Amino acid sequence: MALSGLFRKKTVQDILKQVAKNDADGHNALGKHLTTRDLTAFGIAAIVGAGIFSTIGKASADGGPAVIFLFLFTALACSFAAFAYAEFASMVPVSGSAYTYSYVAFGEIIAWIIGWALIMEYAVGNITVAISWSDYFTGLLQSGGIHLPQWIQMDYLTASNGFKDATALIQSGKSFENLDSGLQTAYTAWTTAPTIGSFHFVADLPALFIIVLITALVYRGMKESRNASNAMVVVKLCIVLLVIAVGVFYVDTANWDPFAPNGVGGVLKGVSAVFFAYIGFDAISTTAEECKNPQRDLPRGMMWAIIICTILYIAIALVLTGMVRYNQLNVGDPLAFVFDKLDLKWMSGIIAVSAVIAMASVLLVFQMGQPRIWMSMSRDGLLPKKFSTVHPRFKTPSFATIVTGFVVAVPALFLNLTMVTDLCSIGTLFAFVLVCAGVLVLQNKPEIPRGKFKTPYVNSKYILPFLMIAGLYYAFAFNNKATMGFINNEAQINDATTIITSLDKTESDKVFSYLKNIDVQNKTSATSDVEHLLSQYQDDDTKYAEVVKGLPINDAVKYESGFSLFKHKIPMWIFLFVLVGLAVWSFRQNLSLIPLLGLICCLYMMAELSVWNWIYFTIWLLIGLFIYFTYSRKNSKLNFVEKL
């Protein structure tokens, strides 16, 4: 087979003919139940979840009240991508989302890559939400007096890593009672867990429970899933509006000063967490075949979901940062925290219940999306035929739904929340990038049938270069220190916790002696907690730098520099070079501005993620390519068409 076969494409006409055939004979046809209202509700169900109940706290602590601008930026980026999704969904109204769109725009190999990335997005997204749901659920049980053993409500990696960090801090003089509550929990889970030899059985069993429950519901049917989703959306919207209505009376505008305490850098620091709050609207496009009028309803559902959720996010962020100081919000349950702090216990209880419902609704939408991606890939021959089996009674992709349950449930028992959150973000952003690029590739091809919705056209030929020049001016005129530090790869000082947890007992004793010698206020007599003694200098950057410089330990522990620092900047350098290439492409081809901005915004957010996420993502894609070249390429239905 020639190399060009890797880029063989499906035509819109053939896709629509196959859908019409399925509808006519009832074979492999999905039930059509969804309207604009249902799609909007699915979007809200997917978006209003972990973001508004969890990650908004960390983002607010980093950016202060100005975090609302990050929500606006992320909403704008998602809206640009939503325009591209909506145009494709109107053009190709079938299940498959970005996978099917890429098959039309780029060809088979790119479609496989994006399909494989979407499998990771939905699977890892489901794992993330299941773990978050478990945290809220066990917290709710504890507030009701039911205490589950720690080792059945925590993942293996968190317990293992937490035990190591806790042990290092105890070794350096910190008492167990003064450890961070998360480290205390991890230490307890690890030390009380049943063991088989040296293996500690630590597994998140509540996460397994909710996955089994939601998978059974999704298997049962779209109508049942829709009704459950709509009911959960009504409940959590009422709770969010109640939080805003009650909280606004406790807002102290003095807490909004300073509005951006950590500057632009602080606001952008939360870009990954805030973007995760918007993940899910693209899952709407996987239900295209189950819509009564997909060409009209899909674009409307996506846009309404993003608009409604953005308004809610901004209102919640302003209320939270107005009720308490921004620097107190770095907690896992910020909504419950602020009302508890103001002694409104009844509100904390209501929020805890609503969070459990919200997480379940997010999981429901994500758990619907992945089987439909697999079904589409199976229909094309890229996955075994069994994955495209539709249940004769329930009209759902039955086998794919069951496999999805296993794929999500097993890792949810053991994986770390932070790791899976970032992996989910990079997989989603990659899908957004290809969908936006697909619209740009097809914009000048008149032979492609168009749907009822088309992204408004604005020529980016001169606008993008202007925006790039404005960005350069801002970087060097108003953010020169950070810009030059990035270019020159200046060494960065590690925080106190990172330094102390990297030391052995001998090194820890040396650091304690040093801190005792320079302690003019004689604070070392009150404690032998080395981490506490060092962290007290962190409020003054100049003093902290001076103290760290004198520590009697290796510089590699004190600073991050050289390639170990530069490797984290590689994604951003890649983004900058790609940006120049996009400017050239835009100038030559008069590209449409909205999908181009969507492409750039999503690439930027990918660049903000750690290089380790890029490495893990690349490994996942290489595994996918191995499967493609050993199975999918020769079993592709387009392969058989070429031989005819």
Side-chain angles (χ1 to χ4, degrees):
M1 189 189 304
L3 189 62
S4 59
L6 296 175
F7 297 95
R8 54 199 175 195
K9 299 177 182 178
K10 294 175 68 174
T11 65
V12 176
Q13 295 91 333
D14 288 342
I15 293 173
L16 297 179
K17 285 179 185 176
Q18 184 59 49
V19 172
K21 182 177 182 297
N22 289 344
D23 290 341
D25 61 19
H27 177 65
N28 284 343
L30 302 175
K32 295 182 181 296
H33 305 288
L34 305 179
T35 63
T36 299
R37 184 187 66 182
D38 299 321
L39 292 169
T40 303
F42 274 140
I44 295 172
I47 297 172
V48 180
I52 209 161
F53 286 99
S54 180
T55 56
I56 193 173
K58 174 69 164 63
S60 299
D62 289 332
V67 74
I68 63 170
F69 296 118
L70 184 55
F71 280 112
L72 283 172
F73 167 72
T74 309
L76 199 60
C78 288
S79 297
F80 293 149
F83 270 108
Y85 266 94
E87 182 166 337
F88 264 125
S90 180
M91 186 191 311
V92 194
V94 298
S95 293
S97 184
Y99 159 74
T100 303
Y101 309 154
S102 297
Y103 221 144
V104 172
F106 302 111
E108 187 171 279
I109 184 67
I110 304 299
W112 169 265
I113 289 173
I114 193 61
W116 190 247
L118 284 171
I119 289 174
M120 187 183 77
E121 173 196 343
Y122 289 118
V124 174
N126 292 343
I127 294 167
T128 305
V129 176
I131 294 171
S132 296
W133 183 91
S134 174
D135 291 342
Y136 279 101
F137 180 69
T138 52
L140 185 62
L141 290 179
Q142 287 176 10
S143 65
I146 301 174
H147 299 278
L148 299 177
Q150 294 292 351
W151 56 270
I152 69 166
Q153 55 178 296
M154 177 175 287
D155 64 274
Y156 183 89
L157 285 178
T158 297
S160 175
N161 294 334
F163 173 77
K164 291 175 183 175
D165 288 346
T167 301
L169 290 172
I170 291 172
Q171 183 177 272
S172 68
K174 185 181 286 290
S175 66
F176 180 80
E177 293 72 21
N178 289 331
L179 288 174
D180 175 83
S181 60
L183 289 180
Q184 288 186 22
T185 303
Y187 186 92
T188 302
W190 187 260
T191 54
T192 59
T195 58
I196 303 174
S198 60
F199 177 78
H200 292 243
F201 184 82
V202 182
D204 198 338
L205 296 186
L208 175 66
F209 165 75
I210 190 61
I211 291 167
V212 171
L213 185 66
I214 293 295
T215 301
L217 179 60
V218 172
Y219 181 89
R220 179 76 182 172
M222 176 56 76
K223 187 181 292 186
E224 290 77 7
S225 300
R226 176 199 66 187
N227 294 340
S229 173
N230 289 348
M232 288 188 281
V233 165
V234 169
V235 170
K236 67 181 176 182
L237 282 183
C238 289
I239 297 300
V240 169
L241 292 175
L242 177 64
V243 167
I244 295 171
V246 174
V248 73
F249 291 102
Y250 293 89
V251 168
D252 181 358
T253 54
N255 288 329
W256 290 339
D257 183 26
F259 199 71
N262 299 316
V264 175
V267 173
L268 291 177
K269 189 176 180 181
V271 69
S272 176
V274 169
F275 174 74
F276 184 74
Y278 280 94
I279 287 178
F281 81 84
D282 61 313
I284 300 173
S285 64
T286 67
T287 65
E289 284 183 50
E290 291 147 292
C291 298
K292 293 180 178 178
N293 188 345
Q295 293 184 317
R296 180 197 68 191
D297 296 340
L298 275 169
R300 292 182 180 181
M302 287 183 185
M303 295 305 174
W304 276 117
I306 291 175
I307 291 169
I308 292 170
C309 292
T310 300
I311 293 171
L312 291 175
Y313 277 144
I314 289 174
I316 284 287
L318 287 174
V319 168
L320 286 180
T321 54
M323 291 175 71
V324 301
R325 293 291 291 176
Y326 70 92
N327 55 8
Q328 299 179 36
L329 288 172
N330 189 12
V331 293
D333 53 348
L335 268 66
F337 169 79
V338 294
F339 285 102
D340 192 51
K341 193 170 181 63
L342 294 173
D343 205 28
L344 297 173
K345 306 290 186 182
W346 63 275
M347 277 295 294
S348 297
I350 291 174
I351 291 167
V353 174
S354 67
V356 170
I357 296 172
M359 294 295 163
S361 68
V362 176
L363 188 60
L364 174 65
V365 178
F366 274 47
Q367 203 75 348
M368 283 193 310
Q370 184 173 333
R372 285 153 180 79
I373 299 292
W374 281 355
M375 181 186 70
S376 297
M377 298 174 76
S378 175
R379 285 175 174 176
D380 296 328
L382 303 185
L383 287 177
K385 189 176 181 179
K386 189 70 174 174
F387 282 92
S388 58
T389 302
V390 174
H391 195 283
R393 178 184 170 193
F394 301 137
K395 298 298 182 183
T396 57
S398 50
F399 179 77
T401 300
I402 293 172
V403 173
T404 295
F406 279 104
V407 168
V408 175
V410 175
L413 293 170
F414 306 107
L415 287 185
N416 179 279
L417 182 60
T418 303
M419 177 188 295
V420 292
T421 300
D422 287 345
L423 278 175
C424 182
S425 295
I426 197 168
T428 307
L429 286 166
F430 185 67
F432 288 5
V433 164
L434 284 188
V435 171
C436 292
V439 170
L440 296 173
V441 168
L442 296 181
Q443 75 171 32
N444 295 322
K445 295 186 177 181
E447 71 275 11
I448 300 293
R450 301 292 170 179
K452 296 178 182 178
F453 179 86
K454 196 172 188 310
T455 305
Y457 177 78
V458 178
N459 193 338
S460 63
K461 183 172 186 175
Y462 298 110
I463 297 177
L464 181 58
F466 171 78
L467 292 176
M468 290 174 64
I469 292 171
L472 285 172
Y473 175 74
Y474 170 81
F476 286 99
F478 300 100
N479 200 28
N480 185 265
K481 182 178 179 181
T483 301
M484 295 309 298
F486 175 82
I487 294 173
N488 296 327
N489 199 41
E490 294 177 1
Q492 294 183 358
I493 304 174
N494 288 322
D495 61 42
T497 302
T498 301
I499 292 173
I500 299 305
T501 54
S502 302
L503 304 178
D504 59 27
K505 185 67 171 69
T506 303
E507 292 170 325
S508 181
D509 290 341
K510 288 181 180 179
V511 169
F512 177 75
S513 298
Y514 169 77
L515 293 174
K516 185 176 182 180
N517 290 334
I518 66 168
D519 185 11
V520 294
Q521 297 180 7
N522 199 30
K523 292 183 178 180
T524 52
S525 60
T527 179
S528 59
D529 183 345
V530 183
E531 188 267 343
H532 173 74
L533 293 172
L534 181 58
S535 63
Q536 68 186 344
Y537 296 104
Q538 286 186 148
D539 291 337
D540 184 340
D541 290 344
T542 303
K543 181 63 177 177
Y544 181 67
E546 180 185 330
V547 171
V548 170
K549 184 179 180 180
L551 292 177
I553 54 177
N554 195 300
D555 281 354
V557 178
K558 296 187 284 187
Y559 305 100
E560 190 171 24
S561 60
F563 183 74
S564 64
L565 175 62
F566 177 77
K567 66 186 179 187
H568 297 295
K569 300 178 180 180
I570 292 175
M572 186 58 69
W573 280 111
I574 292 173
F575 166 75
L576 295 174
F577 285 118
V578 171
L579 187 60
V580 174
L582 289 174
V584 174
W585 186 26
S586 170
F587 191 83
R588 290 182 174 178
Q589 298 294 327
N590 298 316
L591 298 181
S592 177
L593 182 65
I594 290 177
L596 182 62
L597 289 177
L599 174 61
I600 291 170
C601 290
C602 292
L603 278 174
Y604 171 76
M605 287 190 282
M606 285 182 75
E608 286 287 341
L609 295 174
S610 163
V611 69
W612 294 112
N613 294 302
W614 284 69
I615 293 172
Y616 298 145
F617 183 58
T618 301
I619 292 171
W620 175 257
L621 292 184
L622 290 175
I623 294 171
L625 288 174
F626 174 78
I627 295 173
Y628 174 77
F629 283 107
T630 56
Y631 175 86
S632 304
R633 191 182 185 199
K634 62 184 179 183
N635 288 283
S636 168
K637 290 187 176 180
L638 290 187
N639 186 33
F640 297 110
V641 171
E642 287 180 353
K643 293 178 179 179
L644 294 177

